[in-house]
Amino acid sequence: MVTAASISSRIIDAILAEQLPPNARLGEQELAKLFGCSRTVVREAMIELSARGIVTVSSRRGWYLTEISAADARALYEAREVIETGLLRSFARRGAQLDMATLYRLRGHLEQQKAALGDANVGRRSYLLGDFHVCLAECLGNRILAAKLRDLTVLTTLFTMRHQTSGDAERSYKEHVAVFQALEAGDPAAAERRMCNHLGTWEEKVHMVREVDALESLRQALAPVTEPGVEVAGPKASDERKDGRGPAEIPATKGAK
Amino acid sequence: MVTAASISSRIIDAILAEQLPPNARLGEQELAKLFGCSRTVVREAMIELSARGIVTVSSRRGWYLTEISAADARALYEAREVIETGLLRSFARRGAQLDMATLYRLRGHLEQQKAALGDANVGRRSYLLGDFHVCLAECLGNRILAAKLRDLTVLTTLFTMRHQTSGDAERSYKEHVAVFQALEAGDPAAAERRMCNHLGTWEEKVHMVREVDALESLRQALAPVTEPGVEVAGPKASDERKDGRGPAEIPATKGAK
DNA sequence: GGCTCCAATCTTGTATGCAAGCATTGAATG
DNA sequence: CATTCAATGCTTGCATACAAGATTGGAGCC
């Protein structure tokens, strides 16, 4: 049976795996056919995602994945920094320690990230690198903030997909390891500093795209082949075309869970 | 015209004004009749509130306002502390200053709080004291976190209503003023410390009810009159009865906006 | 050729009908 | 008298039908 929760979950996974670009259209009828249910169920999923800021409805036109403006992105990264470093700080202040099972879980997650680095599967790599932050928040013992953080991570992904700032996966992985090692060594304060630096490197990049943002999406849509110099934006768009699927198509294989 | 957003907004205002107790039943048909629309619209509002953690659905039984457990409350207060102090810290670090218009807005909000202190209108007082935190977050320039904080404030209210820890309104007001004065004086670091203390006084109370929590709701439901000693829980319940309204009734006057 | 207007089509918005599950109440039985 | 079970009413879950707005394409006109 197809529930609204399963639909929204699939969509979120697809975004985290960079398989659904921002502004992708999510037609009710289309999704209903795809999932084999009625529009009612799809609509429930859309409303839920809308409450979480992930999709936006344009009246009687359709549902679209939210397009994150540069201003929103700034608030977004600030929010992530506040939450992620704040959780570590709170953890440090209460003098808690991660137990063996939790350390094991985090170590396992890092192993998966490492494995995905060499892998050709770009989607899974993106998914895991983003999911680590949520996983860490859960491990720090606050499910409420972890849930909020998951949504923020999704929105972050929507922004980086558009602006191609994701870049250095290997570096991200190494910084994750560094955070983990500080926690493992019982030094959450150091973990907080490292996390702060880790998030800071992304935040810098946001400020760099601040000015050009207004034209960015148009430019990307209009000039895919004419200028060979800007090819960083090219492969993604052409990848989507050559497998013959529309942008709103749901991938057949689930990201990872 | 009645939209789903207006319904959920009304419900949230009612909670913040302590006019809807936790575990209150929100029947689809009932609300549809009350708002003069179909179940569909009500249902959309419920799904939205459900995504925000404010209502919970029990399959084929009904929608209920979420009952916050002591464990959830702990995470909730930690989340609020992380976000609210984190925003002030981030504000301080970037060396920003509040402009005149923003200071004016905050000062106006504090005036309203002060006026509501002497007022007999308990609902408005609760609403304003809670709303100040959200207002402050908005003033610090992060609408995303402000929205998340609003939901957390609603959940906090649901917890304090059950456990009657709200108590000292005047003290809360004074602490709000203290935070504001630090900001006005251009010392956000001091504002952060004061906010941390302010939230800390509540958090203490949560830990006090930690142990009895499992029986709390039962006790409250079973022994309303037999023991005169536990009357702290009495007046609220009887207040609701004497005006002849069911617990899920929506108040005629909107809280404040 | 270019502009305007209208109609066809596609989309969401809303209401309603029916199905199915849960709780309660009552009777029947040990 | 206690216990079990069946029937009934009430609630949400889901699908569908219809309404109404938005877009787009083309025909007609200047």
Side-chain angles (χ1 to χ4, degrees):
Chain A
M1 188 184 114
V2 177
T3 65
S6 71
I7 294 177
S8 53
S9 168
R10 281 285 289 277
I11 290 175
I12 284 179
D13 286 350
I15 295 171
L16 289 176
E18 302 196 353
Q19 290 169 324
L20 280 177
N23 211 33
R25 187 161 187 289
L26 299 174
E28 292 183 6
Q29 195 62 259
E30 194 178 1
L31 290 175
K33 198 185 293 178
L34 193 62
F35 284 99
C37 61
S38 78
R39 273 180 54 213
T40 308
V41 181
V42 172
R43 203 174 159 76
E44 288 187 6
M46 290 301 116
I47 290 167
E48 185 205 319
L49 290 175
S50 164
R52 298 164 68 181
I54 295 167
V55 305
T56 311
V57 63
S58 178
S59 181
R60 279 173 223 273
R61 271 179 21 90
W63 299 86
Y64 297 86
L65 287 195
T66 302
E67 183 102 36
I68 307 292
S69 71
D72 285 343
R74 223 174 37 84
L76 207 52
Y77 279 106
E78 184 185 31
R80 285 193 58 173
E81 187 181 313
V82 162
I83 290 178
E84 300 195 45
T85 63
L87 271 176
L88 284 166
R89 171 179 295 261
S90 171
F91 188 80
R93 202 176 61 170
R94 96 174 86 104
Q97 291 291 330
L98 293 179
D99 59 25
M100 294 305 285
T102 308
L103 286 171
Y104 182 78
R105 179 182 171 194
L106 283 170
R107 206 176 288 122
H109 199 291
L110 285 168
E111 293 284 341
Q112 286 186 289
Q113 289 174 51
K114 191 177 183 179
L117 277 185
D119 201 337
N121 191 341
V122 189
R124 183 166 166 79
R125 185 201 304 164
S126 310
Y127 179 92
L128 287 171
L129 288 176
D131 188 60
F132 175 73
H133 292 260
V134 182
C135 180
L136 179 59
E138 280 174 2
C139 288
L140 292 175
N142 196 318
R143 260 183 307 163
I144 292 179
L145 270 184
K148 306 278 181 203
L149 186 59
R150 163 153 285 134
D151 293 348
L152 296 181
T153 306
V154 173
L155 298 180
T156 300
T157 304
L158 284 173
F159 181 77
T160 57
M161 276 175 80
R162 173 67 78 207
H163 296 281
Q164 299 292 326
T165 61
S166 57
D168 205 337
E170 190 138 359
R171 176 173 173 183
S172 280
Y173 165 71
K174 283 180 182 164
E175 293 177 342
H176 290 175
V177 171
V179 170
F180 171 74
Q181 285 174 339
L183 281 172
E184 196 179 26
D187 188 356
E192 182 196 342
R193 284 192 303 274
R194 291 175 184 179
M195 178 61 87
C196 191
N197 287 333
H198 175 49
L199 293 173
T201 60
W202 292 358
E203 215 159 334
E204 279 172 25
K205 294 181 184 170
V206 179
H207 291 134
M208 285 173 52
V209 300
R210 186 180 54 203
E211 304 299 335
V212 292
D213 168 75
L215 293 172
E216 193 69 19
S217 76
L218 263 181
R219 177 177 305 151
Q220 202 167 23
L222 295 177
V225 236
T226 52
E227 295 181 39
V230 295
E231 195 161 16
V232 281
K236 171 147 289 295
S238 58
D239 271 2
E240 256 154 18
R241 253 179 237 119
K242 80 174 172 208
D243 61 359
R245 300 187 309 188
E249 190 90 16
I250 302 297
T253 64
K254 197 167 175 182
K257 214 43 172 306
Chain B
M1 188 183 118
V2 177
T3 65
S6 71
I7 295 177
S8 53
S9 168
R10 282 284 289 276
I11 289 175
I12 284 178
D13 285 350
I15 296 171
L16 289 176
E18 303 196 352
Q19 289 167 325
L20 280 176
N23 212 33
R25 188 164 185 288
L26 300 173
E28 291 182 8
Q29 195 62 258
E30 193 178 2
L31 290 176
K33 198 185 295 179
L34 193 62
F35 284 99
C37 61
S38 79
R39 273 180 53 214
T40 307
V41 181
V42 171
R43 203 173 160 76
E44 287 188 4
M46 292 299 116
I47 289 166
E48 184 206 321
L49 290 175
S50 163
R52 298 163 68 181
I54 293 167
V55 305
T56 311
V57 61
S58 178
S59 181
R60 279 172 224 274
R61 270 179 21 89
W63 298 87
Y64 297 86
L65 287 195
T66 302
E67 183 102 37
I68 306 292
S69 71
D72 286 342
R74 221 174 39 84
L76 209 52
Y77 279 106
E78 185 187 30
R80 286 193 55 174
E81 188 181 311
V82 162
I83 291 177
E84 301 195 43
T85 64
L87 271 177
L88 284 166
R89 170 180 296 260
S90 170
F91 188 80
R93 202 176 60 170
R94 96 175 84 106
Q97 291 291 331
L98 293 179
D99 59 25
M100 295 304 286
T102 309
L103 286 171
Y104 183 79
R105 179 182 171 195
L106 283 171
R107 206 177 288 123
H109 200 291
L110 286 168
E111 293 283 341
Q112 288 186 289
Q113 289 175 50
K114 190 177 184 179
L117 277 185
D119 202 336
N121 192 341
V122 190
R124 183 166 167 78
R125 185 200 305 165
S126 310
Y127 180 92
L128 286 171
L129 287 176
D131 187 60
F132 176 72
H133 291 260
V134 182
C135 180
L136 179 59
E138 281 174 0
C139 289
L140 292 176
N142 195 317
R143 261 182 308 162
I144 292 179
L145 269 184
K148 305 279 181 204
L149 186 58
R150 163 154 284 133
D151 293 349
L152 296 181
T153 306
V154 173
L155 298 180
T156 301
T157 304
L158 284 173
F159 181 77
T160 58
M161 277 175 80
R162 173 67 80 207
H163 296 281
Q164 299 291 323
T165 60
S166 57
D168 204 336
E170 190 138 0
R171 177 173 172 184
S172 280
Y173 165 70
K174 284 180 181 163
E175 292 176 343
H176 290 175
V177 171
V179 170
F180 171 74
Q181 286 173 340
L183 281 172
E184 197 179 26
D187 188 356
E192 182 196 342
R193 285 192 300 274
R194 289 175 185 177
M195 178 61 88
C196 190
N197 287 333
H198 175 49
L199 293 172
T201 59
W202 291 358
E203 216 160 333
E204 278 172 24
K205 293 181 184 169
V206 179
H207 290 133
M208 285 173 54
V209 300
R210 185 181 54 203
E211 303 300 334
V212 291
D213 168 76
L215 292 172
E216 192 70 17
S217 76
L218 262 183
R219 178 179 304 150
Q220 204 168 22
L222 296 177
V225 236
T226 51
E227 295 182 38
V230 294
E231 196 161 15
V232 280
K236 169 143 292 293
S238 57
D239 270 2
E240 256 155 20
R241 253 179 238 120
K242 80 176 172 206
D243 61 1
R245 300 187 310 189
E249 190 89 18
I250 303 297
T253 63
K254 198 167 177 184
K257 214 44 169 309

